[in-house]
Amino acid sequence: MSLGKKDFLSIADHTTEDLRKILELAKEQKPLARDHKLPHSHPNRTMACVFAKPSLRTRVSFETAIMQLGGNSLFITDQEIGIGKRESIHDVAKVMSRFVDAIMIRWYDHNEVVELAMHSDIPIINGLTDLNHPCQVMGDILTVEEHLGSIDNKTVVMVGDGNNLANSWINAARRFPFNFIIACPEGYEPDDAVMSAAEKDGASFCVTNDPVDAVRGAHVIYSDAFYSMGQEEEAIKRRKDFADFRITNKMLSEADPNHIVMHCLPAHRGEEITDEVMDGKHSVVFDEAENRQHAQRAIIALLMK
Ligand code: CP
Ligand code: NVA
C-alpha cells in the first residue's frame, strides 16, 4: 500500500482515499507500537529530520516513529546545511536524495519546501512551514476520531490566529465532510489562497470574529499560540489583539456537552488557554501529542519504499 503522491506537503495535495489510508494504518498500528510489537517494515531506511525552528513533538515523534519501523533518523539543523544559502535548494535536494530515503523538514517559507520536493527523488514531509502543518492536523483528526467517532459532520472550532494550523484545518475540510470555524480577531484571518481554494472545492468553513458564538454547540474546540515561531517580536501587540480569544470554561459553557478541547502545543498556559481548560475533563491535549507519532509513522510507512 502507498500514497498517490511522493511527498506530504499539504493535506490538500492528497485524496480523501489516501488520507483515510493514513488514518486507518495509524489506528491499526497504534496498539502494536504501544506494546513494542510493531514489525520492522522499513529496516535500514534513513530519514533526515531538518529543522530551521525549534521543536519537541515533531522531532521526537518523527525520530521515534522511523525507529519503530526499523529505520534510523538524522537530526540536522539548518545552521549546518544552509539550504539556499550555503548551496542551492536544487543541489541540496540532489545530494540528500543520494544519502537518505526521506526528509522531514520544518521550515519558514513553504515555497522553498515545495522547491526542495520538486528537485528531490525521495519523499519530502512537511514538519511545519509558515503556511501549514499537515502532519499535526492528521494526528488531530486521528484524535477526534478516537474520542468522538468519525470526523464527518462534526464542528471543529479554532479560537485564535488564522495561522498554519488554521490553514491546514481548512485544507482538511476540503477532503473530509466536517464543518470548520475559525474565530479570530479582524486582520488575523487564514491565508487568502487557502480560503479561495477551499471555497472552490465547496468545503464547509467560515471565519468569524465572535469566539463565544462560534463555540456554541461545537464538538471540538482547538487552540494554538497567539504568535507563531518567527513572530515573537509581535507578542505584545498580539496579546492585546487576542485578549478576547483566550479559551476559558465560561467560553465553553454552551459547547456540545461531549466536546473535546485540543491544543497542538506548546501552550502558553494562561494566555490562549487557561489551566482549568488545559487540565479539565474535556481536554485531550496529551492524547493529541501522542497521536503525532502514530499518524506520522503511517505517513512515513506509506511514502517510503
Ligand atoms: N505541535 C508541534 O508541532 O510541536 P513542536 O513545535 O514541539 O514540534
Ligand atoms: N502555529 C505554531 C504551531 C506550533 C506547533 C507555530 O507555527 O509556531
Side-chain angles (χ1 to χ4, degrees), residues 54-59 106 133 136 229 264-266 292:
S55 171
L56 187 168
R57 281 142 290 269
T58 304
R59 176 178 179 185
R106 167 164 284 194
H133 196 3
Q136 174 73 52
M229 290 179 275
C264 61
L265 308 179
R292 293 291 304 282

Side-chain angles (χ1 to χ4, degrees), residues 19-286:
L19 298 169
R20 268 279 154 225
K21 272 188 209 166
I22 294 168
L23 294 171
E24 295 317 313
L25 185 62
K27 286 176 193 174
E28 183 189 315
Q29 291 192 334
K30 178 170 175 173
L32 294 171
R34 281 185 138 204
D35 275 358
H36 308 100
K37 287 186 180 144
L38 202 62
H40 284 182
S41 56
H42 291 67
N44 305 318
R45 303 300 190 286
T46 305
M47 183 175 66
C49 297
V50 179
F51 286 88
K53 297 175 179 175
S55 171
L56 187 168
R57 281 142 290 269
T58 304
R59 176 178 179 185
V60 179
S61 57
F62 265 107
E63 293 206 41
T64 49
I66 180 80
M67 286 186 240
Q68 288 166 336
L69 295 172
N72 302 293
S73 71
L74 279 177
F75 171 70
I76 309 168
T77 72
D78 185 51
Q79 279 175 319
E80 284 91 62
I81 324 185
I83 301 179
K85 295 189 198 90
R86 187 164 180 264
E87 58 191 311
S88 70
I89 294 176
H90 170 275
D91 291 357
V92 171
K94 291 298 173 201
V95 173
M96 291 287 273
S97 298
R98 303 290 179 105
F99 291 139
V100 298
D101 301 291
I103 299 174
M104 188 286 299
I105 182 162
R106 167 164 284 194
W107 206 247
Y108 288 91
D109 185 343
H110 186 79
N111 291 329
E112 292 180 355
V113 175
V114 172
E115 192 181 336
L116 182 74
M118 206 166 72
H119 298 302
S120 294
D121 306 315
I122 51 171
I124 305 296
I125 301 172
N126 179 358
L128 180 147
T129 61
D130 290 345
L131 186 67
N132 64 37
H133 196 3
C135 295
Q136 174 73 52
V137 171
M138 289 306 292
D140 293 343
I141 295 172
L142 181 62
T143 309
V144 171
E145 297 209 331
E146 276 179 359
H147 284 271
L148 301 179
S150 171
I151 190 152
D152 295 6
N153 304 317
K154 299 291 184 303
T155 296
V156 177
V157 179
M158 179 165 175
V159 178
D161 189 18
N163 61 14
N164 41 12
L165 260 317
N167 293 334
S168 286
W169 273 108
I170 292 172
N171 287 335
R174 294 171 63 183
R175 298 291 175 258
F176 297 98
F178 67 95
N179 181 32
F180 179 68
I181 302 174
I182 165 95
C184 60
E186 235 181 291
Y188 292 98
E189 291 79 13
D191 182 79
D192 281 337
V194 168
M195 289 197 288
S196 315
E199 263 161 36
K200 273 194 204 132
D201 266 7
S204 175
F205 80 97
C206 76
V207 182
T208 168
N209 305 131
D210 184 344
V212 175
D213 189 45
V215 303
R216 209 163 275 140
H219 303 103
V220 177
I221 291 86
Y222 197 88
S223 182
D224 186 10
F226 291 153
Y227 54 94
S228 286
M229 290 179 275
Q231 297 175 328
E232 288 78 7
E233 74 287 354
E234 295 175 33
I236 294 170
K237 175 174 168 25
R238 282 172 173 260
R239 277 188 198 116
K240 266 193 226 139
D241 293 349
F242 284 86
D244 296 332
F245 291 78
R246 174 177 306 127
I247 299 178
T248 60
N249 273 343
K250 185 163 175 259
M251 184 188 278
L252 300 181
S253 60
E254 288 184 60
D256 184 87
N258 297 319
H259 70 271
I260 56 172
V261 174
M262 303 181 75
H263 192 308
C264 61
L265 308 179
H268 304 82
R269 284 170 171 266
E271 197 165 290
E272 70 272 6
I273 189 166
T274 60
D275 279 334
E276 54 177 9
V277 175
M278 264 281 282
D279 302 324
K281 65 175 188 201
H282 294 279
S283 172
V284 298
V285 298
F286 299 115

